[in-house]
């Protein structure tokens, strides 16, 4: 298996895990849950989409979630419920450069929005992309080198449409 196809498989497992996490019933306290609690729920949602030989840990090496096999880190995850701060994005880039995982992702969950923003860090590049909350299809918005990503002082502010809340009326 080539490195490129491994990265695609890892990203696909991440996307499926995020879809499973998003399908969990929304518990009112979940929106305000502690960061570590949400990281644990995300890790549990990811588990079925990786082989049994893979370990998934939270709050390790400065990342929210680390997926590793043997002594190789294959995925580092950093997340926020809103826009990622510059500090969090820089932390993700530093993690990627220091720990050398196959893939590092930093993402914004945006619980009330239709799309999630993902920063995909790999092979010297940072891709900015949307993940649609209904289809989990991806849309690449921008690609830059890691060095350009480090210099990016601003947030990639995106016109994210607020997700419509549907309520069903009880049967009469």
């Amino acid at each position: 298996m080539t490195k490129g196809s491994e990265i695609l498989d890892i990203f696909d497992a991440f996307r499926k895990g995020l879809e499973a996490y998003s399908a969990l019933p929304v518990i009112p306290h979940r929106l305000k849950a502690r960061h570590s609690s949400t990281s644990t729920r995300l890790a549990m949602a990811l588990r079925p989409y990786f082989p049994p030989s893979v370990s998934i840990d939270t709050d390790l090496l400065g990342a929210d979630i680390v997926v590793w096999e043997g002594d190789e880190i294959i995925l580092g995850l950093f997340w926020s419920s809103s826009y990622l701060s510059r500090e969090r994005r820089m932390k993700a880039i530093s993690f990627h450069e220091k720990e050398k995982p196959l893939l590092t992702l930093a993402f914004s969950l945006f619980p009330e929005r239709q799309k999630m923003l993902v920063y995909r860090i790999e092979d010297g590049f940072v891709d900015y992309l949307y993940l649609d909350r209904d289809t989990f299809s991806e849309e690449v918005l921008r690609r830059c080198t890691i060095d350009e990503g480090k210099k990016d002082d601003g947030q990639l502010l995106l016109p994210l449409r607020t997700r419509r809340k549907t309520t069903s009326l009880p049967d009469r």
Side-chain angles (χ1 to χ4, degrees), residues 146-158:
I146 284 180
D147 288 337
E148 290 170 324
K150 287 179 182 177
K151 294 175 189 171
D152 189 3
D153 288 333
Q155 175 63 252
L156 184 61
L157 296 175
L158 304 169

Side-chain angles (χ1 to χ4, degrees), residues 116-151:
M116 293 175 264
L117 178 61
V118 178
Y119 299 85
R120 183 171 54 200
I121 306 163
E122 62 172 303
D123 293 333
F125 291 96
V126 178
D127 292 330
Y128 298 73
L129 34 109
Y130 270 148
L131 275 183
D132 184 274
R133 194 172 294 279
D134 291 333
T135 64
F136 282 84
S137 59
E138 69 181 81
E139 174 187 349
V140 178
L141 303 168
R142 175 179 156 199
R143 176 172 246 208
C144 65
T145 66
I146 284 180
D147 288 337
E148 290 170 324
K150 287 179 182 177
K151 294 175 189 171

Side-chain angles (χ1 to χ4, degrees), residues 11-164:
F11 187 77
D12 190 51
F14 160 76
R15 186 174 36 218
K16 287 175 181 173
L18 198 55
E19 185 174 2
Y21 172 80
S22 295
L24 293 172
V26 177
I27 302 165
H29 71 274
R30 186 170 127 196
L31 296 175
K32 302 283 186 201
R34 293 170 52 112
H35 196 87
S36 60
S37 298
T38 301
S39 292
T40 300
R41 286 187 197 100
L42 282 163
M44 289 172 52
L46 290 168
R47 175 72 264 171
Y49 302 100
F50 285 95
S53 60
V54 167
S55 296
I56 302 176
D57 288 306
T58 60
D59 300 323
L60 185 67
L61 302 171
D64 294 320
I65 300 170
V66 176
V67 180
W68 49 282
E69 187 166 25
D71 59 356
E72 180 185 23
I73 298 172
I74 60 173
L75 176 62
L77 295 174
F78 297 79
W79 70 271
S80 175
S81 57
S82 63
Y83 282 107
L84 287 157
S85 67
R86 183 179 196 292
E87 178 185 334
R88 295 284 292 159
R89 288 181 285 131
M90 292 306 298
K91 191 173 181 180
I93 290 171
S94 294
F95 173 88
H96 188 79
E97 291 178 328
K98 180 181 177 192
E99 302 299 333
K100 310 258 187 266
L102 290 175
L103 180 63
T104 301
L105 299 171
F107 58 100
S108 301
L109 287 172
F110 297 124
E112 300 297 322
R113 304 285 175 104
Q114 181 61 35
K115 296 186 179 188
M116 293 175 264
L117 178 61
V118 178
Y119 299 85
R120 183 171 54 200
I121 306 163
E122 62 172 303
D123 293 333
F125 291 96
V126 178
D127 292 330
Y128 298 73
L129 34 109
Y130 270 148
L131 275 183
D132 184 274
R133 194 172 294 279
D134 291 333
T135 64
F136 282 84
S137 59
E138 69 181 81
E139 174 187 349
V140 178
L141 303 168
R142 175 179 156 199
R143 176 172 246 208
C144 65
T145 66
I146 284 180
D147 288 337
E148 290 170 324
K150 287 179 182 177
K151 294 175 189 171
D152 189 3
D153 288 333
Q155 175 63 252
L156 184 61
L157 296 175
L158 304 169
L160 297 173
R161 192 175 77 223
T162 301
R163 192 170 192 190
R164 288 187 190 151

